[in-house]
Coordinates of all heavy atoms in Angstrom, one line a residue:
M1 N 244.8 82.7 -19.3 CA 243.7 83.7 -19.2 C 243.6 84.1 -17.7 O 243.8 83.4 -16.8 CB 242.4 83.0 -19.5 CG 241.9 83.2 -20.9 SD 240.2 82.7 -20.9 CE 240.2 82.2 -22.5
S2 N 243.4 85.4 -17.6 CA 243.2 85.9 -16.3 C 241.8 85.7 -15.7 O 240.9 85.4 -16.5 CB 243.5 87.4 -16.3 OG 242.5 88.1 -16.9
K3 N 241.7 85.7 -14.4 CA 240.4 85.5 -13.8 C 239.4 86.5 -14.2 O 238.2 86.2 -14.4 CB 240.6 85.5 -12.3 CG 241.3 84.3 -11.8 CD 241.3 84.3 -10.3 CE 242.1 83.1 -9.7 NZ 242.1 83.1 -8.3
R4 N 239.9 87.7 -14.4 CA 239.0 88.8 -14.8 C 238.4 88.6 -16.2 O 237.3 88.7 -16.4 CB 239.8 90.1 -14.7 CG 238.9 91.3 -15.0 CD 239.8 92.5 -14.8 NE 238.9 93.7 -14.9 CZ 239.4 94.9 -15.1 NH1 240.7 95.1 -15.0 NH2 238.6 95.9 -15.2
H5 N 239.3 88.2 -17.1 CA 238.9 87.9 -18.5 C 237.9 86.7 -18.5 O 236.9 86.7 -19.2 CB 240.1 87.6 -19.3 CG 239.8 87.3 -20.8 ND1 239.2 88.3 -21.6 CD2 239.9 86.2 -21.5 CE1 239.0 87.8 -22.8 NE2 239.5 86.5 -22.8
L6 N 238.2 85.7 -17.6 CA 237.3 84.5 -17.6 C 235.9 84.9 -17.1 O 234.9 84.4 -17.6 CB 237.9 83.5 -16.6 CG 237.2 82.1 -16.6 CD1 237.2 81.5 -17.9 CD2 238.0 81.2 -15.6
R7 N 235.8 85.8 -16.1 CA 234.5 86.3 -15.6 C 233.7 87.0 -16.7 O 232.5 86.9 -16.8 CB 234.7 87.2 -14.4 CG 234.9 86.4 -13.1 CD 234.8 87.4 -11.9 NE 236.0 87.2 -11.2 CZ 236.7 88.0 -10.5 NH1 236.2 89.3 -10.3 NH2 237.7 87.7 -9.8
V8 N 234.4 87.8 -17.4 CA 233.8 88.6 -18.5 C 233.2 87.6 -19.6 O 232.1 87.8 -20.0 CB 234.7 89.6 -19.2 CG1 234.2 90.2 -20.4 CG2 235.1 90.7 -18.2
V9 N 234.0 86.6 -19.9 CA 233.5 85.6 -20.9 C 232.3 84.9 -20.3 O 231.3 84.6 -21.1 CB 234.7 84.7 -21.3 CG1 234.2 83.5 -22.1 CG2 235.8 85.4 -22.0
Q10 N 232.4 84.5 -19.1 CA 231.2 83.8 -18.5 C 230.0 84.6 -18.4 O 228.9 84.2 -18.7 CB 231.6 83.3 -17.0 CG 232.6 82.1 -17.0 CD 233.0 81.8 -15.6 OE1 232.8 82.6 -14.7 NE2 233.6 80.6 -15.5
Q11 N 230.1 85.9 -18.1 CA 229.0 86.8 -18.1 C 228.4 87.0 -19.5 O 227.2 87.0 -19.7 CB 229.4 88.2 -17.6 CG 229.6 88.2 -16.1 CD 230.1 89.6 -15.6 OE1 230.5 90.4 -16.4 NE2 230.1 89.7 -14.3
E12 N 229.3 87.1 -20.5 CA 228.8 87.2 -21.9 C 228.0 85.9 -22.3 O 227.0 85.9 -22.9 CB 229.9 87.4 -22.9 CG 230.5 88.8 -22.8 CD 231.7 89.0 -23.7 OE1 232.1 88.1 -24.3 OE2 232.2 90.2 -23.7
D13 N 228.6 84.7 -21.9 CA 227.9 83.4 -22.2 C 226.6 83.4 -21.5 O 225.6 82.9 -22.0 CB 228.8 82.3 -21.8 CG 230.0 82.0 -22.7 OD1 229.9 82.6 -23.8 OD2 230.9 81.3 -22.4
S14 N 226.5 83.8 -20.3 CA 225.3 83.8 -19.5 C 224.3 84.7 -20.1 O 223.1 84.4 -20.2 CB 225.6 84.2 -18.0 OG 224.4 84.3 -17.3
S15 N 224.7 85.9 -20.5 CA 223.8 86.9 -21.2 C 223.3 86.3 -22.5 O 222.1 86.4 -22.8 CB 224.5 88.2 -21.4 OG 223.7 89.1 -22.1
L16 N 224.1 85.7 -23.3 CA 223.8 85.1 -24.5 C 222.8 83.9 -24.3 O 221.8 83.8 -25.0 CB 225.0 84.6 -25.3 CG 224.7 84.0 -26.7 CD1 224.1 85.1 -27.6 CD2 226.0 83.5 -27.3
S17 N 223.1 83.1 -23.3 CA 222.2 82.0 -23.0 C 220.8 82.5 -22.5 O 219.8 81.9 -22.9 CB 222.8 81.2 -21.8 OG 222.0 80.1 -21.4
S18 N 220.8 83.6 -21.8 CA 219.5 84.2 -21.4 C 218.7 84.6 -22.6 O 217.5 84.5 -22.7 CB 219.7 85.3 -20.4 OG 220.2 84.9 -19.2
E19 N 219.4 85.3 -23.5 CA 218.7 85.7 -24.8 C 218.2 84.6 -25.6 O 217.1 84.7 -26.1 CB 219.7 86.6 -25.6 CG 220.0 87.9 -25.0 CD 221.0 88.7 -25.8 OE1 221.2 88.4 -27.0 OE2 221.6 89.6 -25.2
V20 N 219.0 83.5 -25.7 CA 218.5 82.3 -26.4 C 217.3 81.7 -25.7 O 216.3 81.4 -26.4 CB 219.7 81.3 -26.5 CG1 219.1 80.0 -27.1 CG2 220.8 81.8 -27.4
N21 N 217.3 81.6 -24.4 CA 216.2 81.1 -23.7 C 214.9 81.9 -23.8 O 213.8 81.4 -24.0 CB 216.5 80.9 -22.2 CG 217.4 79.7 -21.9 OD1 217.5 78.8 -22.7 ND2 218.1 79.8 -20.8
A22 N 215.1 83.3 -23.8 CA 214.0 84.2 -24.0 C 213.4 84.0 -25.4 O 212.2 84.0 -25.6 CB 214.5 85.6 -23.8
S23 N 214.3 83.8 -26.4 CA 213.8 83.7 -27.8 C 213.1 82.4 -27.9 O 212.0 82.3 -28.6 CB 215.0 83.7 -28.7 OG 215.6 84.9 -28.7
K24 N 213.6 81.3 -27.3 CA 212.9 80.0 -27.3 C 211.5 80.1 -26.6 O 210.5 79.6 -27.2 CB 213.7 78.9 -26.6 CG 214.9 78.5 -27.4 CD 215.6 77.4 -26.6 CE 216.9 77.0 -27.3 NZ 217.6 76.0 -26.5
L25 N 211.4 80.8 -25.5 CA 210.1 81.0 -24.8 C 209.2 81.8 -25.7 O 208.0 81.6 -25.8 CB 210.3 81.7 -23.5 CG 210.9 80.9 -22.4 CD1 211.1 81.7 -21.1 CD2 209.9 79.8 -22.0
D26 N 209.7 82.8 -26.4 CA 208.9 83.6 -27.3 C 208.3 82.8 -28.4 O 207.1 82.9 -28.8 CB 209.7 84.8 -27.9 CG 208.9 85.8 -28.7 OD1 207.8 86.0 -28.3 OD2 209.4 86.3 -29.7
V27 N 209.1 81.9 -29.0 CA 208.6 81.0 -30.1 C 207.5 80.1 -29.5 O 206.5 79.9 -30.1 CB 209.8 80.2 -30.7 CG1 209.3 79.1 -31.6 CG2 210.7 81.1 -31.4
V28 N 207.7 79.5 -28.3 CA 206.8 78.6 -27.7 C 205.5 79.4 -27.4 O 204.4 78.9 -27.7 CB 207.3 78.0 -26.4 CG1 206.2 77.2 -25.7 CG2 208.4 77.0 -26.8
A29 N 205.6 80.6 -26.9 CA 204.4 81.4 -26.6 C 203.6 81.7 -27.9 O 202.4 81.7 -27.9 CB 204.8 82.6 -25.9
S30 N 204.3 82.1 -28.9 CA 203.7 82.4 -30.2 C 202.9 81.1 -30.7 O 201.8 81.3 -31.3 CB 204.7 82.8 -31.2 OG 205.3 84.0 -30.8
G31 N 203.5 80.0 -30.6 CA 202.9 78.8 -31.0 C 201.6 78.5 -30.2 O 200.6 78.1 -30.8
L32 N 201.7 78.7 -28.9 CA 200.5 78.5 -28.1 C 199.4 79.5 -28.4 O 198.2 79.1 -28.4 CB 200.9 78.6 -26.6 CG 201.7 77.5 -26.0 CD1 202.1 77.8 -24.6 CD2 201.0 76.2 -26.1
V33 N 199.7 80.7 -28.7 CA 198.7 81.7 -29.1 C 198.1 81.3 -30.4 O 196.9 81.4 -30.5 CB 199.4 83.1 -29.1 CG1 198.5 84.1 -29.8 CG2 199.8 83.6 -27.8
T34 N 198.9 80.9 -31.3 CA 198.3 80.5 -32.6 C 197.4 79.3 -32.4 O 196.3 79.2 -33.0 CB 199.5 80.1 -33.6 OG1 200.3 81.2 -33.7 CG2 198.9 79.7 -34.9
F35 N 197.8 78.3 -31.6 CA 196.9 77.2 -31.3 C 195.6 77.6 -30.6 O 194.6 77.1 -31.0 CB 197.7 76.2 -30.4 CG 197.0 74.9 -30.1 CD1 196.7 74.0 -31.1 CD2 196.5 74.6 -28.8 CE1 196.1 72.8 -30.9 CE2 195.9 73.5 -28.6 CZ 195.6 72.6 -29.6
A36 N 195.7 78.5 -29.7 CA 194.5 79.0 -29.0 C 193.6 79.7 -30.0 O 192.4 79.6 -30.0 CB 194.9 80.0 -27.9
D37 N 194.2 80.5 -30.9 CA 193.4 81.2 -32.0 C 192.7 80.2 -32.9 O 191.5 80.3 -33.2 CB 194.2 82.1 -32.8 CG 194.7 83.4 -32.1 OD1 194.0 83.7 -31.0 OD2 195.6 84.0 -32.5
A38 N 193.3 79.1 -33.2 CA 192.7 78.0 -34.0 C 191.6 77.4 -33.3 O 190.5 77.1 -33.9 CB 193.8 77.0 -34.4
I39 N 191.7 77.1 -32.0 CA 190.6 76.6 -31.2 C 189.5 77.5 -31.1 O 188.3 77.1 -31.3 CB 191.1 76.2 -29.8 CG1 192.1 75.0 -29.8 CG2 190.0 75.9 -28.8 CD1 192.7 74.7 -28.5
A40 N 189.7 78.8 -31.0 CA 188.7 79.8 -30.9 C 187.9 79.9 -32.3 O 186.7 80.0 -32.3 CB 189.2 81.2 -30.6
A41 N 188.7 79.8 -33.4 CA 188.0 79.8 -34.7 C 187.2 78.5 -34.9 O 186.0 78.6 -35.4 CB 189.1 79.8 -35.8
L42 N 187.6 77.4 -34.4 CA 186.8 76.2 -34.5 C 185.6 76.3 -33.7 O 184.5 75.8 -34.1 CB 187.7 74.9 -34.1 CG 188.7 74.5 -35.1 CD1 189.6 73.4 -34.5 CD2 188.0 74.0 -36.4
S43 N 185.7 76.9 -32.5 CA 184.6 77.0 -31.6 C 183.5 77.9 -32.3 O 182.3 77.6 -32.3 CB 185.0 77.6 -30.3 OG 183.9 77.9 -29.5
A44 N 184.0 79.0 -32.9 CA 183.0 79.9 -33.6 C 182.4 79.2 -34.8 O 181.2 79.4 -35.0 CB 183.8 81.2 -34.0
L45 N 183.1 78.4 -35.5 CA 182.6 77.7 -36.6 C 181.5 76.7 -36.2 O 180.5 76.5 -36.8 CB 183.7 77.0 -37.4 CG 183.3 76.2 -38.6 CD1 182.6 77.1 -39.7 CD2 184.5 75.5 -39.2
T46 N 181.8 76.0 -35.1 CA 180.9 75.0 -34.5 C 179.6 75.7 -34.1 O 178.5 75.2 -34.3 CB 181.5 74.3 -33.3 OG1 182.7 73.7 -33.7 CG2 180.6 73.3 -32.7
A47 N 179.7 76.9 -33.5 CA 178.5 77.6 -33.0 C 177.7 78.1 -34.2 O 176.5 78.0 -34.2 CB 178.9 78.8 -32.2
L48 N 178.4 78.5 -35.3 CA 177.7 78.9 -36.5 C 176.9 77.8 -37.2 O 175.8 77.9 -37.6 CB 178.7 79.5 -37.5 CG 178.2 80.0 -38.8 CD1 177.2 81.1 -38.6 CD2 179.3 80.4 -39.7
V49 N 177.6 76.6 -37.2 CA 176.9 75.4 -37.8 C 175.7 75.0 -36.9 O 174.6 74.7 -37.4 CB 177.9 74.2 -37.8 CG1 177.2 72.9 -38.1 CG2 178.9 74.5 -38.9
A50 N 175.8 75.1 -35.6 CA 174.7 74.8 -34.7 C 173.5 75.7 -34.9 O 172.4 75.3 -35.0 CB 175.2 74.8 -33.3
V51 N 173.8 77.0 -35.1 CA 172.8 78.0 -35.3 C 172.1 77.8 -36.7 O 170.9 77.8 -36.8 CB 173.3 79.4 -35.2 CG1 172.3 80.5 -35.8 CG2 173.7 79.8 -33.8
T52 N 172.9 77.5 -37.7 CA 172.4 77.2 -39.0 C 171.5 76.0 -39.0 O 170.4 76.0 -39.6 CB 173.5 77.0 -40.0 OG1 174.4 78.1 -40.0 CG2 173.0 76.8 -41.4
N53 N 171.9 74.9 -38.3 CA 171.1 73.7 -38.2 C 169.8 74.0 -37.5 O 168.8 73.4 -37.8 CB 171.9 72.6 -37.6 CG 173.0 72.0 -38.5 OD1 173.0 72.2 -39.7 ND2 173.9 71.3 -37.9
S54 N 169.9 74.8 -36.4 CA 168.7 75.1 -35.6 C 167.7 75.9 -36.5 O 166.5 75.6 -36.4 CB 169.1 75.9 -34.4 OG 168.0 76.3 -33.7
D55 N 168.2 76.8 -37.3 CA 167.3 77.6 -38.1 C 166.6 76.7 -39.2 O 165.4 76.8 -39.4 CB 168.1 78.7 -38.9 CG 168.4 79.8 -37.9 OD1 167.9 79.9 -36.8 OD2 169.2 80.7 -38.3
S56 N 167.4 75.8 -39.8 CA 166.7 74.9 -40.8 C 165.8 73.9 -40.1 O 164.7 73.6 -40.7 CB 167.8 74.1 -41.5 OG 168.5 73.2 -40.7
Q57 N 166.0 73.5 -38.9 CA 165.1 72.6 -38.2 C 163.8 73.4 -37.9 O 162.7 72.9 -38.0 CB 165.7 72.1 -36.9 CG 166.5 70.9 -37.1 CD 167.0 70.3 -35.8 OE1 167.0 71.0 -34.8 NE2 167.4 69.0 -35.8
D58 N 164.0 74.7 -37.4 CA 162.8 75.5 -37.1 C 161.9 75.7 -38.4 O 160.7 75.7 -38.3 CB 163.3 76.9 -36.6 CG 163.8 76.8 -35.2 OD1 163.6 75.8 -34.5 OD2 164.5 77.8 -34.8
Q59 N 162.6 75.9 -39.5 CA 161.8 76.0 -40.7 C 161.0 74.8 -41.1 O 159.9 74.8 -41.5 CB 162.7 76.5 -41.9 CG 163.2 77.9 -41.8 CD 164.2 78.3 -42.9 OE1 164.6 77.4 -43.6 NE2 164.6 79.5 -42.9
S60 N 161.7 73.6 -40.9 CA 161.0 72.4 -41.3 C 159.9 72.0 -40.3 O 158.9 71.4 -40.6 CB 162.0 71.2 -41.4 OG 162.6 71.0 -40.1
N61 N 160.1 72.4 -39.0 CA 159.1 72.2 -38.0 C 157.9 73.2 -38.1 O 156.8 72.9 -37.7 CB 159.7 72.4 -36.6 CG 160.6 71.3 -36.2 OD1 160.6 70.2 -36.8 ND2 161.5 71.5 -35.2
S62 N 158.1 74.3 -38.7 CA 157.1 75.3 -38.9 C 156.1 75.0 -40.1 O 155.0 75.5 -40.1 CB 157.6 76.7 -39.0 OG 158.3 76.9 -40.3
E63 N 156.6 74.1 -41.0 CA 155.8 73.8 -42.1 C 154.5 73.1 -41.7 O 153.4 73.5 -42.2 CB 156.6 72.9 -43.1 CG 155.9 72.7 -44.4 CD 156.8 72.0 -45.4 OE1 158.0 72.4 -45.5 OE2 156.3 71.1 -46.0
P64 N 154.5 72.1 -40.9 CA 153.2 71.5 -40.4 C 152.3 72.5 -39.7 O 151.1 72.5 -39.8 CB 153.6 70.4 -39.5 CG 155.0 70.1 -39.8 CD 155.6 71.3 -40.3
L65 N 153.0 73.4 -38.9 CA 152.2 74.4 -38.2 C 151.5 75.4 -39.2 O 150.4 75.8 -38.9 CB 153.1 75.2 -37.2 CG 153.6 74.4 -36.1 CD1 154.6 75.3 -35.2 CD2 152.5 73.9 -35.2
Q66 N 152.2 75.7 -40.3 CA 151.6 76.6 -41.3 C 150.4 75.9 -41.9 O 149.4 76.6 -42.2 CB 152.6 77.0 -42.3 CG 153.7 77.9 -41.9 CD 153.2 79.2 -41.5 OE1 152.3 79.7 -42.0 NE2 153.9 79.8 -40.5
K67 N 150.5 74.6 -42.1 CA 149.3 73.9 -42.7 C 148.2 73.9 -41.8 O 147.0 74.1 -42.2 CB 149.8 72.5 -43.1 CG 150.7 72.4 -44.3 CD 151.1 71.0 -44.6 CE 152.0 70.9 -45.8 NZ 152.4 69.6 -46.1
Q68 N 148.5 73.6 -40.5 CA 147.4 73.6 -39.5 C 146.7 75.0 -39.4 O 145.5 75.2 -39.3 CB 147.9 73.2 -38.1 CG 148.2 71.8 -37.9 CD 148.7 71.5 -36.6 OE1 149.3 72.3 -35.9 NE2 148.5 70.2 -36.1
L69 N 147.6 76.1 -39.4 CA 147.1 77.4 -39.4 C 146.2 77.7 -40.6 O 145.1 78.3 -40.4 CB 148.2 78.4 -39.3 CG 147.9 79.9 -39.1 CD1 147.1 80.1 -37.8 CD2 149.1 80.7 -39.1
A70 N 146.6 77.3 -41.7 CA 145.7 77.5 -42.9 C 144.4 76.8 -42.8 O 143.3 77.3 -43.2 CB 146.5 77.1 -44.2
A71 N 144.4 75.6 -42.3 CA 143.2 74.8 -42.1 C 142.3 75.5 -41.1 O 141.1 75.5 -41.3 CB 143.5 73.4 -41.7
M72 N 142.9 76.0 -40.0 CA 142.1 76.7 -39.0 C 141.4 77.9 -39.6 O 140.3 78.3 -39.3 CB 142.9 77.0 -37.8 CG 143.3 75.8 -37.0 SD 144.5 76.1 -35.7 CE 143.6 77.1 -34.6
K73 N 142.2 78.6 -40.4 CA 141.7 79.9 -41.0 C 140.5 79.5 -41.9 O 139.5 80.2 -41.9 CB 142.8 80.5 -41.9 CG 142.3 81.9 -42.4 CD 143.4 82.6 -43.2 CE 143.1 83.9 -43.7 NZ 141.8 84.1 -44.3
K74 N 140.6 78.4 -42.7 CA 139.4 78.0 -43.5 C 138.2 77.7 -42.7 O 137.1 78.0 -43.0 CB 139.8 76.8 -44.3 CG 140.8 77.1 -45.5 CD 141.1 75.8 -46.3 CE 142.1 76.1 -47.4 NZ 142.4 74.8 -48.1
Q75 N 138.5 77.0 -41.5 CA 137.3 76.7 -40.6 C 136.7 77.9 -40.1 O 135.5 78.0 -40.0 CB 137.8 75.8 -39.5 CG 138.2 74.4 -39.9 CD 138.8 73.6 -38.8 OE1 139.1 74.1 -37.7 NE2 139.0 72.3 -39.0
I76 N 137.5 78.9 -39.7 CA 137.0 80.1 -39.1 C 136.2 80.9 -40.2 O 135.1 81.4 -39.9 CB 138.2 81.0 -38.6 CG1 138.7 80.4 -37.3 CG2 137.7 82.4 -38.3 CD1 140.0 81.0 -36.8
D77 N 136.7 80.9 -41.4 CA 136.0 81.6 -42.5 C 134.7 80.9 -42.8 O 133.6 81.5 -42.9 CB 136.8 81.6 -43.8 CG 138.0 82.5 -43.7 OD1 138.1 83.4 -42.8 OD2 139.0 82.3 -44.5
Y78 N 134.7 79.5 -42.8 CA 133.4 78.8 -43.0 C 132.4 79.1 -41.8 O 131.2 79.4 -42.1 CB 133.7 77.3 -43.0 CG 132.5 76.5 -43.0 CD1 131.7 76.3 -44.2 CD2 132.1 75.8 -41.9 CE1 130.6 75.6 -44.2 CE2 130.9 75.0 -41.9 CZ 130.2 74.9 -43.1 OH 129.0 74.2 -43.0
L79 N 132.9 79.1 -40.6 CA 132.0 79.3 -39.5 C 131.5 80.7 -39.5 O 130.3 81.0 -39.2 CB 132.7 79.0 -38.2 CG 133.0 77.5 -37.9 CD1 133.9 77.4 -36.6 CD2 131.8 76.7 -37.7
T80 N 132.3 81.7 -39.9 CA 131.9 83.1 -40.0 C 130.8 83.2 -41.0 O 129.8 83.9 -40.8 CB 133.1 84.0 -40.3 OG1 134.1 83.8 -39.4 CG2 132.7 85.4 -40.4
K81 N 130.9 82.5 -42.2 CA 129.9 82.6 -43.2 C 128.6 81.9 -42.7 O 127.5 82.5 -43.0 CB 130.4 81.8 -44.5 CG 131.4 82.6 -45.3 CD 131.8 81.8 -46.5 CE 133.0 82.4 -47.2 NZ 133.5 81.6 -48.3
E82 N 128.7 80.8 -42.0 CA 127.5 80.2 -41.5 C 126.8 81.1 -40.5 O 125.5 81.1 -40.5 CB 127.9 78.8 -40.8 CG 128.3 77.8 -41.8 CD 127.2 77.4 -42.7 OE1 126.0 77.2 -42.3 OE2 127.5 77.3 -44.0
I83 N 127.5 81.7 -39.6 CA 126.9 82.7 -38.7 C 126.2 83.8 -39.4 O 125.1 84.2 -39.0 CB 127.9 83.2 -37.6 CG1 128.4 82.0 -36.7 CG2 127.4 84.3 -36.8 CD1 129.5 82.4 -35.8
S84 N 126.9 84.3 -40.4 CA 126.3 85.4 -41.2 C 125.0 85.0 -41.9 O 124.1 85.8 -41.9 CB 127.3 85.9 -42.3 OG 128.4 86.5 -41.7
K85 N 124.9 83.8 -42.3 CA 123.7 83.3 -43.0 C 122.5 83.2 -42.0 O 121.4 83.5 -42.3 CB 123.9 81.9 -43.6 CG 124.8 81.9 -44.8 CD 124.9 80.4 -45.3 CE 125.9 80.3 -46.4 NZ 126.1 78.9 -46.8
R86 N 122.8 82.9 -40.8 CA 121.7 82.7 -39.8 C 121.3 84.0 -39.2 O 120.2 84.1 -38.5 CB 122.2 81.8 -38.6 CG 122.4 80.4 -39.2 CD 122.8 79.5 -38.1 NE 123.1 78.2 -38.7 CZ 123.2 77.1 -38.0 NH1 122.9 77.1 -36.7 NH2 123.5 76.0 -38.6
Q87 N 122.0 85.1 -39.4 CA 121.5 86.3 -38.8 C 120.6 87.1 -39.6 O 120.3 87.2 -40.6 CB 122.8 87.2 -38.5 CG 123.6 86.7 -37.4 CD 124.8 87.5 -37.1 OE1 125.1 88.5 -37.8 NE2 125.4 87.3 -36.0

């Protein structure tokens, strides 16, 4: 083999090796992007669950307040009637 032919073969091998390495990097990068998307989806799901739990807690906490409010309304109605009687 001539030196010139050997250089051409080495350049082709180097070019092919670069393309293979680029393809490998592309596959790794795609995998990382997919993994990051999965983490983002889990984060969004966790936030949604937290908001849902917060809403249900707010509803259960508001029930005693609603009872107190109803009792206060009855008291105000009673006091209003008593004042009306005295006038």
Side-chain angles (χ1 to χ4, degrees):
M1 261 194 214
S2 69
K3 289 184 181 181
R4 184 175 184 192
H5 181 64
L6 188 59
R7 276 190 235 151
V8 170
V9 170
Q10 285 176 344
Q11 286 176 349
E12 287 176 359
D13 284 347
S14 176
S15 175
L16 184 60
S17 177
S18 294
E19 288 178 22
V20 169
N21 286 337
S23 295
K24 287 179 182 179
L25 284 174
D26 189 35
V27 169
V28 170
S30 296
L32 289 174
V33 167
T34 302
F35 183 68
D37 287 343
I39 290 174
L42 286 174
S43 176
L45 181 61
T46 302
L48 180 62
V49 168
V51 167
T52 303
N53 288 342
S54 176
D55 286 347
S56 65
Q57 277 184 339
D58 288 346
Q59 288 175 354
S60 65
N61 289 342
S62 69
E63 191 173 314
L65 293 176
Q66 291 294 330
K67 288 181 181 180
Q68 284 181 336
L69 186 60
M72 290 171 65
K73 185 177 181 323
K74 286 180 182 178
Q75 290 174 351
I76 291 171
D77 290 343
Y78 172 76
L79 292 172
T80 303
K81 286 179 186 177
E82 289 297 315
I83 290 172
S84 294
K85 288 179 186 177
R86 293 185 186 198
Q87 289 180 352

